[in-house]
Amino acid sequence: MAKPAQGAKYRGSIRDFPDFDPNQDAEALYTAMKGFGSDKEAILELITSRSNRQRQEICQSYKSLYGKDLIADLKYELTGKFERLIVGLMRPLAYCDAKEIKDAISGIGTDEKCLIEILASRTNEQMHQLVAAYKDAYERDLEADIIGDTSGHFQKMLVVLLQGTREEDDVVSEDLVQQDVQELYEAGELKWGTDEAQFIYILGNRSKQHLRLVFDEYLKTTGKPIEASIRGELSGDFEKLMLAVVKCIRSTSEYFAERLFKAMKGLGTRDNTLIRIMVSRSELDMLDIREIFRTKYAKSLYSMIKNDTSGEYKKALLKLCGGDDDAAGQFFPEAAQVAYQMWELSAVARVELKGTVCPANDFNPDADAKALRKAMKGLGTDEDAIIDIITHRSNAQRQQIRQTFKSHFGRDLMADLKSELSGDLQRLILGLMMPPAHYDAKQLKKAMEGAGTDEKALIEILATRTNAEIQAINEAYKEDYHKSLEDALSSDTSGHFKRILISLATGNREEGGEDQDKAREDAKEIADTSSGDKTSLETRFMTILCTRSYPHLRRVFQEFIKMTNYDVEHTIKKEMSGDVKDAFVAIVQSVKNKPLFFADKLYKSMKGAGTDEKTLTRIMVSRSEIDLFNIRREFIEKYDKSLHQAIEGDTSGDFMKALLAICGGED
């Protein structure tokens, strides 16, 4: 069993089994595999209840008693994912890592994600043990095999990590911290091109404590987190590797919590990743991973495994997990502190919001108006020319083109575009041509007209717009439809949901900073669910979530976690339902990370059978000049594929071309 550092608390979920008898366990396993069929329940119960050290003793006893190899017998008797999991548990960790890496670089293609996960996360000692185990198991040199199967800066960083020579001194030199910050800045942001060697040297060799201070100072110096610079300066597998290294420097347990979540979310399960992490972390930091998982994703690791797997495979994984953090009495007091630290980090990171559509250089509205007229004149329409012009001009420039078009040709550009285009492309192009407030007003109008109401569209717009944007929408709505937005909402919605929307539609959210004392009071106000009065609870949430400033609400959410050991989202989902729940969750997610909120909406609009073109169009149009670049970053971070790839795989024709132009690039 892995030993914790001196004075540190053991954070694994698997411990040494008391009154351990390796001969007795070997006999029990032999009996379970004897005769026709095998007793899988007995096998999983025994193996998941023993530490790795004890399992090695069982292997030795099994060979002594029966002259047979226990791992070979288990492979013969078991099958599929359950077999891979049990056999993985029977190997020493270093040999388990060696097998994973051998599989990752064998055959056609390379599993870069596996290489990144293992080599970015292991300590110096674990790295040395891995190299030795690989040599022993395969009579090959691991470094030579890595070099033979990878290339470029990705290969160089893997080789550096493989040396296991990261500094381990906890005494940090402030001068060296400042020097490294400057060298990273000069190697990336201040340089034409990127000096990858500096990134490799500093991130591959400095101690974790030193690098955490470097990251803090880098943010203060440059105004952006180191992750943003890595994404901007590096690319491909090298970029993914460096981001993984940074995550592991910040928190190895959080890195693995994210990997586990991604392994199980969406359609299908990445079982190899799930098995590898559950096996390798069960005696190291599984309790920390569980805590972070619950606070970050508002659900327990146990419950996600339970819902995403089946059979003996599921039972064995749940044993390794070690407990359900959503069950009564299972809460960790440390979880609140972990969540609080995560919030503190997010509060410090002030990432600059960037759109993907910028004003065109050398803009000539006269030339653009003539080009658009030519594209629509005569037989047929030149959609490519229309897409190229409109997706590469800012909204303000498009308004100038509209005016110039009318002055030159006495025609309404919007009417001509509507006549010449059709379907999804028409809706997208016309949306881009409208001023943002008028576009939002139209989307709200469409959400409320006809039979039924599109509550999701109402929530998405009203829960995410700033006061200035909301006020502009109100004016546009009145101007275009001769009715106030508040009256329209009152006529089309009801109950607490109506009250929430009307409150948001006033655009009177406070705009100051946080108030520590008031934040504690607000957190206490919404944390009290004991009365069982749902109406009162919804009113309290509305008063706070719809009126307090974003910085203040972030502090409220932190205080809420400290008081309840729960994320506020979890409580909303547990205590509320329907449109009220959806509205409050949208507000909370927008406050926490608005680009991530929109990345999630975009992903859902394109996953599964069919595409929600309305949502896709609405977000791509409305965020193109605000934060679509940030949304792209959140999308690839969470879903392991770029927004560009998702659009390419889920749309087609001219609609796809226009969306990709707005998207602005492949991450």
Side-chain angles (χ1 to χ4, degrees):
M1 183 169 65
K3 293 180 181 178
Q6 192 168 6
K9 195 175 177 183
Y10 181 71
R11 303 297 291 160
S13 56
I14 301 295
R15 295 174 175 271
D16 282 335
F17 188 76
D19 303 320
F20 171 62
D21 184 335
N23 289 335
Q24 187 177 315
D25 284 351
E27 289 172 14
L29 288 171
Y30 182 77
T31 302
M33 293 186 283
K34 194 177 177 184
F36 185 71
S38 55
D39 186 348
K40 297 181 180 66
E41 190 80 35
I43 293 170
L44 82 86
E45 186 64 37
L46 192 151
I47 289 176
T48 58
S49 299
R50 306 298 186 269
S51 68
N52 193 276
R53 179 187 63 78
Q54 291 175 329
R55 292 183 208 121
Q56 305 318 307
E57 290 188 47
I58 295 169
C59 281
Q60 200 60 49
S61 294
Y62 193 90
K63 186 167 276 188
S64 299
L65 289 171
Y66 306 109
K68 302 177 74 174
D69 183 72
L70 176 55
I71 289 180
D73 280 3
L74 287 167
K75 280 184 177 180
Y76 180 78
E77 292 291 333
L78 308 177
T79 59
K81 296 173 283 191
F82 181 55
E83 178 231 311
R84 294 204 303 275
L85 176 60
I86 293 298
V87 169
L89 287 167
M90 293 307 301
R91 293 191 177 102
L93 177 59
Y95 284 81
C96 196
D97 280 350
K99 175 72 165 59
E100 290 291 315
I101 287 183
K102 186 73 168 67
D103 290 346
I105 57 179
S106 295
I108 299 171
T110 304
D111 183 353
E112 289 87 0
K113 289 180 181 178
C114 174
L115 294 181
I116 290 170
E117 179 194 298
I118 293 174
L119 298 183
S121 65
R122 301 309 191 244
T123 64
N124 287 346
E125 184 183 356
Q126 289 167 344
M127 207 69 83
H128 298 153
Q129 291 169 352
L130 163 60
V131 171
Y134 192 91
K135 185 81 171 175
D136 181 51
Y138 306 110
E139 297 182 348
R140 296 178 64 87
D141 181 67
L142 178 53
E143 183 178 324
D145 282 358
I146 292 283
I147 289 172
D149 211 66
T150 59
S151 61
H153 298 297
F154 178 58
Q155 175 200 90
K156 290 173 187 172
M157 185 61 177
L158 290 176
V159 170
V160 167
L161 294 171
L162 205 54
Q163 307 313 302
T165 53
R166 185 177 295 285
E167 297 162 1
E168 294 181 330
D169 191 357
D170 283 338
V171 179
V172 177
S173 161
E174 290 184 17
D175 290 341
L176 188 57
V177 167
Q178 293 297 336
Q179 179 184 317
D180 283 350
V181 168
Q182 195 59 35
E183 288 184 355
L184 286 171
Y185 192 36
E186 289 173 0
E189 298 286 337
L190 296 183
K191 189 179 177 68
W192 179 257
T194 306
D195 183 356
E196 289 87 353
Q198 277 294 2
F199 278 85
I200 290 171
Y201 176 73
I202 293 171
L203 295 182
N205 290 282
R206 299 288 194 236
S207 73
K208 285 192 170 187
Q209 187 62 32
H210 173 89
L211 285 173
R212 286 179 192 129
L213 292 177
V214 168
F215 299 161
D216 290 345
E217 287 302 315
Y218 190 90
L219 178 63
K220 291 176 188 173
T221 301
T222 68
K224 62 169 69 176
I226 187 71
E227 291 90 340
S229 291
I230 288 172
R231 291 190 186 103
E233 299 297 326
L234 312 180
S235 62
D237 293 323
F238 181 46
E239 175 196 345
K240 291 172 187 172
L241 173 59
M242 298 305 259
L243 288 172
V245 169
V246 170
K247 284 181 181 177
C248 289
I249 295 296
R250 291 195 187 279
S251 169
T252 306
S253 302
E254 185 175 353
Y255 171 71
F256 283 114
E258 286 182 11
R259 292 280 296 162
L260 284 168
F261 179 76
K262 288 177 180 178
M264 291 183 281
K265 73 176 174 63
L267 293 172
T269 303
R270 297 172 192 173
D271 293 293
N272 287 345
T273 301
L274 181 56
I275 291 168
R276 186 169 58 242
I277 297 173
M278 294 302 290
V279 168
S280 66
R281 311 313 293 186
S282 60
E283 294 182 43
L284 296 174
D285 56 358
M286 186 58 71
L287 299 188
D288 294 324
I289 292 168
R290 277 169 49 185
E291 289 172 5
I292 291 170
F293 193 99
R294 192 193 59 185
T295 53
K296 191 161 188 170
Y297 303 111
K299 66 176 80 176
S300 67
L301 175 59
Y302 188 98
S303 67
M304 197 159 182
I305 291 171
K306 192 174 180 181
N307 293 330
D308 213 64
T309 58
S310 59
E312 282 86 9
Y313 176 54
K314 174 174 78 173
K315 291 177 184 175
L317 287 171
L318 293 178
K319 287 276 287 180
L320 295 179
C321 183
D324 186 359
D325 305 313
D326 284 342
Q330 283 290 333
F331 305 131
F332 290 110
E334 295 96 330
Q337 192 58 36
V338 170
Y340 181 75
Q341 288 166 358
M342 286 161 57
W343 271 111
E344 283 293 312
L345 185 62
S346 69
V348 169
R350 293 283 179 263
V351 180
E352 179 190 359
L353 297 179
K354 287 168 59 179
T356 53
V357 175
C358 304
N361 294 323
D362 303 321
F363 171 59
N364 185 336
D366 187 68
D368 285 347
K370 288 175 181 175
L372 287 170
R373 176 68 179 141
K374 182 181 177 184
M376 294 185 282
K377 197 174 179 182
L379 203 61
T381 305
D382 186 350
E383 285 88 354
D384 285 345
I386 293 171
I387 291 168
D388 186 57
I389 293 170
I390 291 177
T391 61
H392 292 97
R393 305 295 183 269
S394 68
N395 193 275
Q397 290 175 333
R398 293 182 206 124
Q399 303 318 309
Q400 290 184 56
I401 296 170
R402 284 179 68 178
Q403 192 60 52
T404 304
F405 194 90
K406 184 166 278 188
S407 299
H408 275 319
F409 308 111
R411 302 172 66 91
D412 180 16
L413 176 56
M414 294 286 281
D416 281 6
L417 288 167
K418 193 170 185 178
S419 170
E420 294 292 328
L421 306 175
S422 61
D424 295 324
L425 178 65
Q426 181 203 76
R427 284 191 289 273
L428 179 63
I429 294 297
L430 291 177
L432 289 168
M433 291 304 302
M434 295 179 73
H438 289 266
Y439 179 73
D440 278 346
K442 184 176 182 181
Q443 296 304 303
L444 291 169
K445 180 75 164 61
K446 289 173 77 70
M448 292 184 281
E449 68 186 8
T453 303
D454 185 351
E455 290 86 358
K456 289 182 179 177
L458 296 179
I459 291 168
E460 177 202 304
I461 295 170
L462 294 175
T464 60
R465 302 309 192 248
T466 65
N467 284 348
E469 288 167 342
I470 291 283
Q471 285 154 15
I473 291 169
N474 274 293
E475 290 171 13
Y477 199 95
K478 185 80 171 175
E479 180 185 336
D480 293 345
Y481 307 112
H482 310 292
K483 182 178 183 180
S484 75
L485 176 57
E486 182 179 331
D487 286 345
L489 291 168
S490 295
S491 302
D492 209 67
T493 57
S494 60
H496 260 88
F497 182 55
K498 176 178 80 173
R499 292 173 60 197
I500 293 165
L501 294 181
I502 289 175
S503 178
L504 292 171
T506 60
N508 282 327
R509 184 179 293 283
E510 296 166 1
E511 295 190 333
E514 64 182 56
D515 181 326
Q516 182 77 53
D517 293 334
K518 189 177 176 184
R520 287 196 196 97
E521 290 172 16
D522 286 346
K524 190 175 180 182
E525 189 75 13
I526 58 176
D528 181 14
T529 60
S530 58
S531 68
D533 184 348
K534 189 176 175 182
T535 301
S536 170
L537 183 65
E538 289 176 352
T539 300
R540 281 181 274 138
F541 265 88
M542 184 184 75
T543 302
I544 292 165
L545 293 185
C546 295
T547 64
R548 306 292 194 256
S549 72
Y550 271 31
H552 181 81
L553 282 174
R554 291 188 187 106
R555 178 60 65 181
V556 171
F557 299 163
Q558 292 172 349
E559 295 298 327
F560 186 92
I561 290 172
K562 289 165 74 179
M563 285 178 190
T564 66
N565 207 24
Y566 269 120
D567 186 274
V568 69
E569 233 180 287
H570 176 95
T571 299
I572 291 169
K573 289 174 180 175
K574 182 182 176 185
E575 299 291 336
M576 298 172 201
S577 61
D579 297 327
V580 170
K581 177 193 75 174
D582 293 343
F584 284 149
V585 167
I587 294 168
V588 170
Q589 291 177 346
S590 180
V591 169
K592 286 179 177 179
N593 185 336
K594 197 177 288 186
L596 178 58
F597 169 79
F598 283 114
D600 285 339
K601 296 279 286 181
L602 284 171
Y603 177 77
K604 288 171 185 172
S605 75
M606 292 183 280
K607 73 167 188 164
T611 304
D612 180 358
E613 289 88 356
K614 288 181 181 178
T615 300
L616 178 56
T617 299
R618 187 171 58 243
I619 295 173
M620 295 296 288
V621 169
S622 65
R623 311 313 295 182
S624 60
E625 293 184 50
I626 300 173
D627 55 3
L628 190 53
F629 179 84
N630 309 83
I631 292 168
R632 273 172 36 190
R633 291 304 190 187
E634 295 292 350
F635 194 99
I636 195 169
E637 176 74 15
K638 184 165 182 179
Y639 298 111
D640 285 336
K641 66 176 174 181
S642 69
L643 178 58
H644 191 282
Q645 289 170 325
I647 291 169
E648 221 168 22
D650 211 65
T651 60
S652 61
D654 293 322
F655 181 52
M656 179 185 75
K657 289 179 188 175
L659 287 172
L660 292 178
I662 298 167
C663 184
E666 168 72 276
D667 294 304

Coordinates of all heavy atoms in Angstrom, one line a residue, residues 338-380:
V338 N -12.0 22.3 0.0 CA -11.6 22.1 -1.4 C -12.4 23.0 -2.4 O -11.8 23.7 -3.2 CB -11.8 20.6 -1.8 CG1 -11.5 20.4 -3.3 CG2 -10.8 19.7 -1.0
A339 N -13.7 23.0 -2.2 CA -14.6 23.8 -3.1 C -14.3 25.3 -2.9 O -14.2 26.0 -3.9 CB -16.0 23.5 -2.8
Y340 N -14.0 25.7 -1.7 CA -13.7 27.1 -1.4 C -12.5 27.5 -2.2 O -12.4 28.6 -2.8 CB -13.6 27.3 0.1 CG -13.3 28.7 0.5 CD1 -14.3 29.7 0.4 CD2 -12.1 29.1 0.9 CE1 -14.1 31.0 0.8 CE2 -11.8 30.4 1.2 CZ -12.8 31.4 1.2 OH -12.5 32.6 1.5
Q341 N -11.4 26.6 -2.1 CA -10.2 26.9 -2.8 C -10.4 27.0 -4.3 O -9.8 27.9 -5.0 CB -9.1 25.9 -2.4 CG -8.6 26.0 -1.0 CD -7.8 24.8 -0.5 OE1 -7.7 23.8 -1.2 NE2 -7.4 24.8 0.7
M342 N -11.2 26.1 -4.8 CA -11.5 26.2 -6.3 C -12.2 27.5 -6.6 O -11.8 28.1 -7.6 CB -12.4 25.0 -6.6 CG -11.7 23.6 -6.6 SD -12.9 22.3 -6.5 CE -13.9 22.6 -7.9
W343 N -13.1 27.9 -5.8 CA -13.8 29.2 -6.0 C -12.8 30.4 -6.0 O -12.8 31.3 -6.8 CB -14.9 29.4 -5.0 CG -16.2 28.8 -5.4 CD1 -16.8 27.7 -4.8 CD2 -17.0 29.3 -6.4 NE1 -18.0 27.5 -5.5 CE2 -18.1 28.4 -6.5 CE3 -16.9 30.3 -7.3 CZ2 -19.2 28.6 -7.4 CZ3 -18.0 30.5 -8.3 CH2 -19.1 29.6 -8.3
E344 N -11.9 30.3 -5.0 CA -10.9 31.4 -4.8 C -10.1 31.5 -6.1 O -9.8 32.6 -6.6 CB -10.0 31.1 -3.6 CG -10.6 31.3 -2.3 CD -10.9 32.8 -2.1 OE1 -10.0 33.6 -2.3 OE2 -12.0 33.2 -1.7
L345 N -9.6 30.3 -6.6 CA -8.8 30.3 -7.8 C -9.6 30.9 -9.0 O -9.1 31.7 -9.8 CB -8.4 28.9 -8.2 CG -7.5 28.7 -9.4 CD1 -6.2 29.4 -9.1 CD2 -7.3 27.2 -9.7
S346 N -10.9 30.5 -9.1 CA -11.7 31.1 -10.2 C -11.9 32.6 -10.1 O -12.1 33.3 -11.0 CB -13.0 30.3 -10.4 OG -13.9 30.6 -9.3
A347 N -12.0 33.0 -8.8 CA -12.3 34.4 -8.6 C -11.1 35.3 -8.9 O -11.2 36.4 -9.3 CB -12.7 34.6 -7.1
V348 N -9.9 34.7 -8.7 CA -8.6 35.4 -9.0 C -8.4 35.5 -10.5 O -8.0 36.5 -11.1 CB -7.4 34.7 -8.4 CG1 -6.1 35.2 -8.9 CG2 -7.5 34.8 -6.9
A349 N -8.8 34.4 -11.3 CA -8.6 34.4 -12.7 C -9.5 35.4 -13.4 O -10.7 35.1 -13.5 CB -8.7 33.0 -13.2
R350 N -9.1 36.5 -13.9 CA -9.9 37.4 -14.6 C -9.5 37.3 -16.1 O -8.6 37.9 -16.6 CB -9.6 38.8 -14.1 CG -10.1 39.1 -12.7 CD -11.6 39.2 -12.7 NE -12.1 39.4 -11.3 CZ -12.6 38.5 -10.5 NH1 -12.7 37.3 -11.0 NH2 -13.0 38.8 -9.3
V351 N -10.2 36.4 -16.8 CA -9.9 36.1 -18.2 C -10.5 37.2 -19.1 O -11.7 37.4 -18.9 CB -10.3 34.7 -18.6 CG1 -10.0 34.4 -20.0 CG2 -9.7 33.7 -17.7
E352 N -9.8 37.7 -20.0 CA -10.3 38.7 -20.9 C -11.3 38.0 -21.9 O -11.0 37.0 -22.5 CB -9.1 39.3 -21.7 CG -9.6 40.3 -22.7 CD -8.5 40.8 -23.7 OE1 -7.3 40.2 -23.5 OE2 -8.7 41.6 -24.6
L353 N -12.5 38.6 -22.0 CA -13.5 38.1 -22.9 C -13.2 38.5 -24.3 O -12.9 39.7 -24.5 CB -14.9 38.5 -22.5 CG -15.3 38.0 -21.1 CD1 -16.7 38.5 -20.8 CD2 -15.3 36.4 -21.0
K354 N -13.3 37.6 -25.3 CA -12.9 38.0 -26.7 C -14.0 37.3 -27.6 O -14.3 36.2 -27.4 CB -11.5 37.4 -27.0 CG -10.4 38.2 -26.4 CD -9.1 37.5 -26.6 CE -8.7 37.2 -28.0 NZ -7.4 36.5 -28.2
G355 N -14.4 38.1 -28.6 CA -15.2 37.6 -29.6 C -14.4 37.0 -30.7 O -13.1 37.1 -30.7
T356 N -15.0 36.4 -31.7 CA -14.3 35.8 -32.8 C -14.5 36.7 -34.1 O -13.8 36.5 -35.1 CB -14.8 34.4 -33.1 OG1 -16.3 34.4 -33.3 CG2 -14.4 33.4 -32.0
V357 N -15.5 37.6 -34.1 CA -15.8 38.5 -35.2 C -15.3 39.9 -34.8 O -15.8 40.4 -33.8 CB -17.3 38.4 -35.6 CG1 -17.5 39.5 -36.7 CG2 -17.7 37.0 -36.0
C358 N -14.4 40.4 -35.5 CA -13.9 41.7 -35.2 C -14.1 42.7 -36.4 O -14.4 42.2 -37.5 CB -12.3 41.7 -35.0 SG -11.9 40.5 -33.7
P359 N -14.0 44.0 -36.2 CA -14.2 44.9 -37.3 C -13.2 44.6 -38.4 O -12.0 44.3 -38.1 CB -13.9 46.3 -36.7 CG -14.2 46.1 -35.2 CD -13.8 44.7 -34.9
A360 N -13.6 44.7 -39.6 CA -12.7 44.4 -40.8 C -11.8 45.6 -41.0 O -12.2 46.7 -40.9 CB -13.5 44.1 -42.0
N361 N -10.5 45.3 -41.3 CA -9.6 46.4 -41.6 C -9.9 46.9 -43.0 O -10.4 46.2 -43.8 CB -8.1 45.8 -41.6 CG -7.7 45.4 -40.2 OD1 -8.1 46.0 -39.2 ND2 -7.0 44.3 -40.1
D362 N -9.6 48.2 -43.2 CA -9.8 48.8 -44.5 C -11.3 48.6 -45.0 O -11.6 48.3 -46.1 CB -8.9 48.2 -45.6 CG -7.4 48.4 -45.2 OD1 -7.1 49.4 -44.7 OD2 -6.6 47.4 -45.4
F363 N -12.2 48.8 -44.0 CA -13.6 48.6 -44.3 C -14.1 49.6 -45.3 O -13.9 50.8 -45.1 CB -14.4 48.7 -43.0 CG -15.9 48.7 -43.1 CD1 -16.5 47.6 -43.7 CD2 -16.6 49.8 -42.6 CE1 -17.9 47.7 -43.8 CE2 -18.0 49.8 -42.7 CZ -18.6 48.7 -43.3
N364 N -14.9 49.1 -46.3 CA -15.4 50.0 -47.3 C -16.9 49.6 -47.5 O -17.2 48.7 -48.3 CB -14.6 49.9 -48.6 CG -15.1 50.9 -49.7 OD1 -16.2 51.3 -49.6 ND2 -14.2 51.1 -50.6
P365 N -17.8 50.3 -46.8 CA -19.2 49.9 -46.9 C -19.8 50.1 -48.3 O -20.6 49.3 -48.7 CB -19.9 50.9 -46.0 CG -19.0 52.1 -45.8 CD -17.6 51.5 -45.9
D366 N -19.2 51.0 -49.1 CA -19.7 51.2 -50.5 C -19.3 49.9 -51.3 O -20.2 49.4 -52.0 CB -19.0 52.4 -51.1 CG -19.5 52.7 -52.5 OD1 -20.6 53.2 -52.5 OD2 -18.7 52.6 -53.4
A367 N -18.1 49.4 -51.2 CA -17.7 48.2 -51.9 C -18.4 47.0 -51.5 O -18.8 46.2 -52.3 CB -16.2 48.0 -51.7
D368 N -18.7 46.9 -50.1 CA -19.4 45.8 -49.6 C -20.9 45.8 -50.1 O -21.4 44.7 -50.5 CB -19.4 45.8 -48.1 CG -18.1 45.3 -47.5 OD1 -17.3 44.8 -48.3 OD2 -17.8 45.5 -46.3
A369 N -21.5 46.9 -50.1 CA -22.9 47.0 -50.6 C -23.0 46.6 -52.0 O -23.9 45.8 -52.4 CB -23.4 48.4 -50.4
K370 N -22.0 47.1 -52.9 CA -22.0 46.7 -54.3 C -21.8 45.2 -54.5 O -22.4 44.6 -55.3 CB -21.0 47.5 -55.0 CG -21.3 49.0 -55.2 CD -20.2 49.8 -55.8 CE -20.6 51.2 -56.0 NZ -19.4 52.0 -56.5
A371 N -20.9 44.6 -53.7 CA -20.6 43.2 -53.8 C -21.8 42.4 -53.4 O -22.1 41.3 -54.0 CB -19.4 42.9 -52.9
L372 N -22.5 42.8 -52.4 CA -23.7 42.0 -51.9 C -24.8 42.2 -53.0 O -25.5 41.2 -53.3 CB -24.2 42.6 -50.6 CG -23.4 42.2 -49.4 CD1 -23.8 43.0 -48.1 CD2 -23.5 40.7 -49.1
R373 N -25.0 43.3 -53.6 CA -26.0 43.5 -54.7 C -25.6 42.6 -55.9 O -26.5 41.9 -56.4 CB -26.0 45.0 -55.1 CG -26.9 45.3 -56.3 CD -28.4 45.1 -55.9 NE -29.3 45.4 -57.0 CZ -30.4 44.7 -57.3 NH1 -30.7 43.7 -56.5 NH2 -31.1 45.1 -58.3
K374 N -24.4 42.5 -56.2 CA -23.9 41.7 -57.3 C -24.2 40.2 -57.0 O -24.6 39.4 -57.9 CB -22.4 41.9 -57.6 CG -21.9 41.1 -58.7 CD -20.4 41.4 -58.9 CE -19.8 40.5 -60.0 NZ -18.4 40.6 -60.1
A375 N -24.0 39.8 -55.7 CA -24.2 38.4 -55.3 C -25.6 38.0 -55.4 O -25.9 36.8 -55.5 CB -23.6 38.2 -53.9
M376 N -26.5 39.0 -55.3 CA -28.0 38.6 -55.4 C -28.7 39.0 -56.7 O -29.9 38.8 -56.8 CB -28.7 39.3 -54.2 CG -28.2 38.9 -52.8 SD -29.1 39.6 -51.5 CE -28.4 41.2 -51.4
K377 N -27.9 39.6 -57.6 CA -28.5 40.1 -58.8 C -28.6 39.0 -59.9 O -27.7 38.2 -60.0 CB -27.7 41.3 -59.3 CG -28.4 42.1 -60.4 CD -27.6 43.4 -60.7 CE -28.2 44.2 -61.7 NZ -27.4 45.4 -62.1
G378 N -29.6 39.0 -60.7 CA -29.7 38.0 -61.8 C -30.1 36.6 -61.3 O -30.7 36.4 -60.2
L379 N -29.8 35.6 -62.2 CA -30.2 34.3 -61.9 C -29.3 33.6 -60.9 O -28.1 33.6 -61.1 CB -30.2 33.5 -63.2 CG -31.1 32.2 -63.3 CD1 -32.6 32.6 -63.1 CD2 -30.9 31.5 -64.6
G380 N -29.9 33.1 -59.8 CA -29.1 32.4 -58.8 C -28.5 33.4 -57.8 O -28.5 34.6 -58.0

